[in-house]
Amino acid sequence: MTDEHELVKIRKEKLKKIREQGIDPYALHFKRTHSSKSVHECAKKVSVGEVLEDLEVAVIGRIITVREHGKSCFANIRDDSGDIQIYVKSNAVGEKAYDLFKLIDIGDFIGVKGKIFKTRTGENTILVSKLSVFSKSLQTLPEKWSGLKDIELKYRRRYVDLIANKDIKPLFKLRSHIIGSMRKFLEGKKFLEVETPMMQQIPGGAMAKPFVTHHNTLDMDLYLRIAPELYLKRLIVGGFEKIYEINRNFRNEGISTRHNPEFTMLELYQAFADYEDLMRLTEEMFYTLAEECLCKTSLEYQGHNIELKKEWKRLSFVEAIKKYAKIDLESVSDKELKNSAKHLVPETRKMNSFREIADALFKRVVIPNLIEPTFIIDYPERMCPLAKKKRDNKNLTERFQPYICGIELGNAYSELNDPMEQKERFLDQIKDRKIGDEEAHLMDEDFITALEYGMPPTGGLGIGIDRLVMLFTNSPSVRDVILFPQLKPQK
RNA sequence: GGGUCGUUAGCUCAACUAGGCAGAGCAGCGGACUCUUAAUCCGUUGGUUGUGGGUUCGAUUCCCUCACGGCCUACCA
């Protein structure tokens, strides 16, 4: 407290003076009649210089700017609907209230009552007749036209970023709108939203390192889920035919412009559907979301103009590697693959499993070329332990991943529903794990048991919501679309 | 994890190239001003230059350490 900033001290002094007038500066006893937006609507019928006589409005908001003129003052207050100008005049509001107003700073919440008028310059304004304080701000807001630029502060104090930078709130409103539209789209197709465990005894459904936590009473470790997949499939076994979950996954991996340790994912499962059905569903979902949220079927991302309402390109994983890396995965041995790969992607030297090397090649050499909406399909069987083998080629699986502008947006399969084959695949994964592939799958016996009860043929689709929002908001970093991205503590 | 760039007043930025009293705008404070809107005008407070070392007569500036962050890269989605 002793090294408190001078600016905070001054504001606390003002706070004290307000309290000395018998006013509680944090209480709410105010009936709002209008938002600033609705004031603007009422003001449409007022002409320049005129006052709307037969209406008194009560508006509450945060002071954003102030322009003093002796015994009168213009200020702008902001609520969730926008900004409105107020005009506080000593002889209109009374001298006592005007003295109170002098104790008000930019950042404070105030309530005003008064009539609407249009100034000489045509600005809709509330001529204040009564004024009250509802929250005294002790911190100074960032400078009014540069806003908050410091990226670290924007993330650490997102609340300030939201106040100071006008484009931040609309972005997160759009994110919310996208997720809402996604739910609406899925409800329209009769999908049922379900919730499955975030804390799992065996983390499964994806290739990633999990976060570990501990339950004290049960005295056992639990893992924050890396994916909901295996539980959602259990529900398909249980008889649900169309289900989805929109929720957080947690992966204990690196942080980058495309990765946050916790991220939001849509996963949906549809019985009696295959990956062909889901590709059509994906196309429809993307352009429907664009229509609803962007009011068009195209989007601009980092200089690329992308039309969504069309049949997306399809390229098989093997063709893609052949096209961009000039390696034929179907004919090379593991040893040959390792040899050819190390020239293109030196990092593969350290890798041993087929999955890791093929994955590395794909990410480094293929993905940057996938700008137009593209489904990469038919991945080699050894890369996808949960996917069903392709009906006419048993070395491949019925899997696809949607890509736009080099962003991997999801993952989908015709799900493997043969319990014995699933068990074999898990055993193969355990072999990969033994040669150093830490992300290879673990055995989940209960999941095998579930499959033994019989899972209908099912299509499953996962969509990374944060990345989808990046794309829809033209954001270069996933941190720009996550309100509170993960950072190290300060100091 | 590796590479690279950055960190100066509450906020936005100068000063660093080639070491020589750390500056401006906004915000704040005092004053003038009853239709302004980046209000204007006059005056003014505010700094351990991210941290800790080193070189030097002298370091915001050069060198090193550490912390935090951006970008690239790796793991991953």
Side-chain angles (χ1 to χ4, degrees):
Chain A
M1 287 302 265
T2 47
D3 56 353
E4 186 171 74
H5 197 279
E6 184 204 340
L7 294 172
V8 176
K9 273 186 197 159
I10 290 166
R11 288 189 177 213
K12 282 193 174 169
E13 269 307 306
K14 291 180 182 174
L15 186 67
K16 203 174 142 200
K17 283 181 186 161
I18 293 170
R19 287 206 160 109
E20 280 166 5
Q21 294 185 24
I23 296 167
D24 176 358
Y26 293 106
L28 179 64
H29 28 71
F30 190 82
K31 198 161 161 54
R32 162 150 66 174
T33 63
H34 289 69
S35 66
S36 54
K37 192 180 171 190
S38 61
V39 170
H40 284 294
E41 271 153 26
C42 294
K44 277 178 187 165
K45 44 193 164 177
V46 185
S47 46
V48 172
E50 240 184 29
V51 181
L52 188 61
E53 283 299 343
D54 49 357
L55 176 70
E56 196 185 56
V57 294
V59 176
I60 188 162
R62 187 194 292 278
I63 303 240
I64 293 300
T65 55
V66 172
R67 295 170 293 283
E68 271 190 282
H69 292 266
K71 289 208 164 298
S72 77
C73 180
F74 287 95
N76 286 81
I77 63 174
R78 176 174 299 168
D79 62 23
D80 194 36
S81 73
D83 295 1
I84 182 74
Q85 178 167 267
I86 61 170
Y87 188 36
V88 186
K89 237 181 355 175
S90 174
N91 59 2
V93 77
E95 258 181 57
K96 205 180 161 196
Y98 199 80
D99 286 343
L100 172 67
F101 185 69
K102 283 184 184 159
L103 299 172
I104 300 299
D105 288 297
I106 290 169
D108 294 358
F109 279 91
I110 63 163
V112 296
K113 286 182 187 169
K115 287 177 180 163
I116 299 172
F117 79 110
K118 249 191 184 47
T119 62
R120 285 208 290 253
T121 51
E123 181 81 16
N124 300 330
T125 305
I126 300 169
L127 181 58
V128 178
S129 60
K130 199 158 179 283
L131 180 136
S132 17
V133 198
F134 297 119
S135 185
K136 183 89 192 109
S137 157
L138 301 178
Q139 298 283 349
T140 327
L141 285 175
E143 198 264 347
K144 64 189 159 197
W145 62 86
S146 305
L148 183 63
K149 289 262 174 64
D150 186 295
I151 293 173
E152 191 176 346
L153 263 188
K154 277 163 69 73
Y155 295 154
R156 287 194 196 279
R157 302 189 183 171
R158 183 68 89 181
Y159 42 91
V160 180
D161 189 29
L162 284 162
I163 298 166
N165 296 328
K166 268 206 148 168
D167 48 342
I168 305 300
K169 200 154 73 163
L171 188 151
F172 284 101
K173 282 183 172 177
L174 181 56
R175 179 184 168 119
S176 179
H177 189 190
I178 290 168
I179 294 171
S181 297
M182 190 177 261
R183 286 202 162 92
K184 196 174 122 198
F185 173 82
L186 293 170
E187 302 295 332
K189 298 214 173 278
K190 306 290 180 212
F191 280 86
L192 180 78
E193 183 168 13
V194 296
E195 292 166 277
T196 63
M198 310 286 275
M199 295 196 289
Q200 303 179 345
Q201 295 183 19
I202 301 164
M207 311 272 198
K209 292 177 202 119
F211 286 94
V212 192
T213 185
H214 188 80
H215 192 288
N216 291 339
T217 310
L218 297 176
D219 189 24
M220 66 176 187
D221 284 343
L222 286 167
Y223 301 89
L224 297 187
R225 74 176 187 196
I226 55 174
E229 173 154 352
L230 302 186
Y231 283 91
L232 290 168
K233 284 182 183 171
R234 283 169 169 97
L235 295 177
I236 295 290
V237 170
F240 291 106
E241 291 188 1
K242 285 180 156 189
I243 52 173
Y244 74 97
E245 178 162 7
I246 294 176
N247 222 323
R248 227 65 69 79
N249 289 343
F250 306 85
R251 298 190 186 174
N252 204 341
E253 313 275 0
I255 294 175
S256 78
T257 49
R258 304 265 167 97
H259 302 88
N260 196 58
E262 53 181 304
F263 63 102
T264 305
M265 183 98 159
L266 159 71
E267 277 205 21
L268 69 82
Y269 289 83
Q270 179 175 355
F272 316 116
D274 63 12
Y275 78 144
E276 291 280 348
D277 299 313
L278 294 182
M279 279 189 260
R280 285 190 290 275
L281 183 78
T282 303
E283 287 170 354
E284 189 185 339
M285 181 161 70
F286 270 72
Y287 76 71
T288 304
L289 290 179
E291 273 171 348
E292 285 220 356
C293 304
L294 305 176
C295 303
K296 53 185 183 181
T297 58
S298 63
L299 54 85
E300 292 93 51
Y301 188 75
Q302 307 294 302
H304 300 294
N305 216 299
I306 306 295
E307 174 58 44
L308 295 167
K309 196 166 186 175
K310 63 176 182 186
E311 202 167 308
W312 293 18
K313 284 185 186 170
R314 294 187 188 192
L315 187 63
S316 84
F317 186 87
V318 172
E319 281 167 23
I321 298 280
K322 214 181 281 179
K323 182 170 174 185
Y324 296 107
K326 311 275 182 251
I327 295 174
D328 185 355
L329 291 177
E330 286 176 310
S331 61
V332 289
S333 68
D334 280 17
K335 207 170 176 182
E336 287 165 344
L337 172 65
K338 197 168 154 63
N339 251 313
S340 328
K342 73 182 179 195
H343 299 300
L344 288 162
V345 185
E347 296 82 1
T348 57
R349 275 169 218 277
K350 289 174 282 186
M351 300 173 181
N352 289 311
S353 79
F354 175 89
R355 182 187 76 80
E356 282 181 301
I357 296 170
D359 223 32
L361 273 178
F362 183 68
K363 274 165 186 162
R364 295 270 288 155
V365 183
V366 178
I367 289 179
N369 295 297
L370 305 178
I371 304 300
E372 281 297 304
T374 306
F375 292 120
I376 296 294
I377 62 172
D378 300 344
Y379 289 65
E381 178 264 315
R382 290 171 63 186
M383 301 180 69
C384 327
L386 301 164
K388 183 177 275 190
K389 282 182 184 163
K390 198 167 159 59
R391 43 207 94 174
D392 55 6
N393 183 343
K394 296 299 172 197
N395 293 320
L396 301 176
T397 51
E398 294 195 356
R399 174 188 184 189
F400 75 81
Q401 292 195 290
Y403 284 89
I404 299 175
C405 295
I407 301 178
E408 179 184 336
L409 289 155
N411 191 17
Y413 319 125
S414 298
E415 302 294 342
L416 175 57
N417 61 340
D418 175 338
M420 289 163 74
E421 188 182 340
Q422 181 67 77
K423 189 161 189 174
E424 285 306 314
R425 301 261 202 107
F426 276 150
L427 291 172
D428 283 346
Q429 286 291 302
I430 287 163
K431 280 181 206 155
D432 277 349
R433 194 169 260 269
K434 278 185 183 149
I435 59 171
D437 185 352
E438 282 183 71
E439 275 104 32
H441 250 275
L442 292 160
M443 175 65 74
D444 187 335
E445 295 283 359
D446 180 73
F447 177 64
I448 302 290
T449 303
L451 291 186
E452 285 172 353
Y453 278 91
M455 182 171 87
T458 298
L461 167 68
I463 296 289
I465 305 246
D466 310 281
R467 290 181 178 179
L468 186 151
V469 176
M470 275 172 75
L471 198 64
F472 273 55
T473 56
N474 195 11
S475 302
S477 169
V478 77
R479 277 175 227 121
D480 299 329
V481 301
I482 293 174
L483 281 166
F484 298 100
Q486 201 56 247
L487 296 178
K488 283 193 188 179
Q490 251 169 331
K491 285 173 192 173

